[in-house]
Amino acid sequence: MVIILMAIIQRRELDRVLGIRWLLLYGRRKTGKTFYVRERGRYSRYFVVTRGRSLVDVESGEELTISEFTRLLPYMVQNGRVVVDEFHRLDEPFFSLLQGLSGKGELTLITSTRHYFRRFIGENSPLLGLFHLQEVGLVDPRDAVAYVASLGIKGKSLMELACLVQEPWLAQTVETMKGKTFEVLGAVLRDYVPSLTGEIFTEEDKELSQRYFAILEAVASGKRTSGEIASELFSRGLIEKNYPGAVSQYLETLVGMGLLERMLLYGKRRKGYHYRHVSPVVDFAFYLNSKYGFFETGLPERSLSQHIQEKMPLYMETFFERFLARLYGLQPVKIALPELEVDIALRKHKRLALVGEVKWKTKLTKKELRSVEDKLTSLDAERRLLIVPDKSLLPREPEDIEVLDWKDFVELSEI
């Protein structure tokens, strides 16, 4: 019998905390919380809370009622780590029991809802201060690069596939298909993304209404400010008045769910935000749906491959921005200066620390290089970067600008 071992994306933020005695992991669905704890964690009992509020031991199949579980928990945590997955489906007396145990033994709680999580650690919560809290979002770009590099993939493809496996549920597809991943991506996204989005709303006790769906499509189609998003929904007849306040609460909810993220607009007197999808994969699926009704009809393989290549430079900008922000501990912002678009802007203490341009193409002309030099040197930043697939594509060495390519990012992923 041949046993196929699936590679695991090593996740530095989880490796650092799995040994903490009382740990609470939270984040939207399908970010790899359960899988990583089960594969890399050390525990004696692992329970999943069902929607019917019973607890099932995943190893033995034993099913316990809440009363049986709360009676046994004080003894179980003294004999080894106990994991309770989807613990938010429980209620009293479980939470009061945790307060009574007050850090005794070893316990890991996992939840796929961010809405309930905020309630659990609120001012009057019995859980406040008892646990080390760790959010589990998309895979750290550094870990994604290291994972794809471990598969023997190199060059431009390595970086693009690393961008995809920020969604850890795509890791098995990338591991199996490697360079042919883009050929099968459409079939994966068409079924998976609507299901994933629906699950996230279900866990948050929210209805995936037409307004939420339209906002996800609008952002994927390039509407970035609340005003642009409101105009789009007004044109569809989904809101009665065309003003930003009509969508503000919906945007706040989507950010809270982990589906959208907002970036501070840098350079404006009045505070404003730039919205985008957290996941490039989800963004791409909603973009296709807004243009072609993708979730209903699908798209031919060749057409989909062409669309992903057109969108990939934009996704790589975000990927490298996150990579560098995590590496150097900086805050991403969106520069909002007249006639000045910069791919990457990272700040520290309200001052620009790093600016960069991403030229994700197979050839760069002298004119394009000069334009990059002029743009980046016009900004008062500590570091200026140009990111390309391979340095051999440059027509000459740029002036006063560092150049990074795929090899540099593989090295930086090891830091």
Side-chain angles (χ1 to χ4, degrees), residues 26 55 66 77 81 117 163 191 196 209 319 414:
Y26 68 99
L55 294 101
I66 295 177
V77 295
R81 181 176 295 273
F117 162 75
C163 182
D191 295 328
L196 170 62
S209 66
F319 180 78
E414 298 171 356

Side-chain angles (χ1 to χ4, degrees), residues 31-58:
T31 53
K33 303 178 293 298
T34 294
F35 178 78
Y36 206 83
V37 171
R38 292 191 64 180
E39 294 295 324
R40 290 292 179 91
R42 176 185 57 81
Y43 55 87
S44 58
R45 303 290 296 272
Y46 192 115
F47 293 93
V48 175
V49 184
T50 69
R51 294 189 188 277
R53 300 177 75 234
S54 63
L55 294 101
V56 177
D57 186 319
V58 298

Side-chain angles (χ1 to χ4, degrees), residues 306-325:
Q306 179 182 341
H307 287 302
I308 188 64
Q309 290 307 316
E310 290 171 355
K311 296 284 284 184
M312 189 55 70
L314 176 63
Y315 297 145
M316 295 311 300
E317 290 172 13
T318 303
F319 180 78
F320 290 125
E321 172 203 277
R322 288 176 180 163
F323 189 112
L324 296 168

Side-chain angles (χ1 to χ4, degrees), residues 269-314:
R269 290 184 180 179
R270 293 183 64 183
K271 195 172 186 179
Y273 295 101
H274 172 101
Y275 292 89
R276 67 186 181 194
H277 279 269
V278 172
S279 166
V281 171
V282 174
D283 180 277
F284 183 57
F286 273 95
Y287 167 77
L288 292 179
N289 197 62
S290 68
K291 297 291 185 183
Y292 308 105
F294 174 64
F295 296 146
E296 295 292 332
T297 63
L299 274 176
E301 192 176 281
R302 182 179 297 179
S303 175
L304 187 134
S305 181
Q306 179 182 341
H307 287 302
I308 188 64
Q309 290 307 316
E310 290 171 355
K311 296 284 284 184
M312 189 55 70
L314 176 63

